[in-house]
């Protein structure tokens, strides 16, 4: 048993364990780094989408405000229809 310990097999085995641990560590670091960079790209894309949605909402508000006077003139007949619909709904018993 002393011959195995003194022959260098133990130092070779410890060297191999160190190399395996190093390789596993590098592989783990690679995948963590890759996932982190993908996450950063996704965050950038989501932020750009949010910015575009804010612009679209602003444009829609402008369009709605520009078309609002036309809708006010047309809204009065629709209000009468709604009142009639409400009367019919009031007649239906609730469960």
């Amino acid at each position: 048993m002393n011959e195995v310990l003194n022959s260098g097999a133990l130092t070779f085995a410890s060297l191999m364990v160190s190399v395996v641990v190093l390789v596993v560590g590098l592989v783990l670091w690679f995948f963590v780094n890759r996932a982190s960079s993908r996450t950063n790209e996704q965050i950038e894309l989501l932020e750009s989408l949010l910015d575009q949605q804010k612009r679209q909402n602003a444009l829609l508000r402008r369009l709605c405000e520009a078309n609002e006077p036309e809708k006010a003139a047309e809204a009065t007949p629709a209000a009468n229809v709604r009142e009639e619909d409400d009367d019919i709904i009031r007649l239906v018993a609730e469960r």
Side-chain angles (χ1 to χ4, degrees), residues 13-69:
S14 66
L15 180 64
M16 288 304 293
V17 168
S18 299
V19 169
V20 168
V21 168
L22 178 67
V23 168
V24 169
L26 287 174
V27 168
L28 285 175
W29 175 81
F30 171 76
F31 284 112
V32 167
N33 192 22
R34 184 175 171 206
S36 175
S37 64
R38 282 188 174 186
T39 303
N40 289 338
E41 290 174 1
Q42 289 175 350
I43 289 172
E44 288 176 10
L45 289 173
L46 287 172
E47 287 175 349
S48 67
L49 282 173
L50 179 66
D51 189 37
Q52 289 176 358
Q53 285 178 346
K54 286 181 180 179
R55 290 181 194 166
Q56 287 177 349
N57 286 341
L59 287 173
L60 284 172
R61 283 189 192 125
R62 288 184 203 160
L63 285 173
C64 289
E65 290 172 0
N67 293 332
E68 197 169 295

Side-chain angles (χ1 to χ4, degrees), residues 68-84:
E68 197 169 295
E70 296 173 6
K71 287 184 179 179
E74 296 174 2
T76 49
N80 292 336
V81 172
R82 282 187 183 167
E83 289 176 7
E84 293 173 5

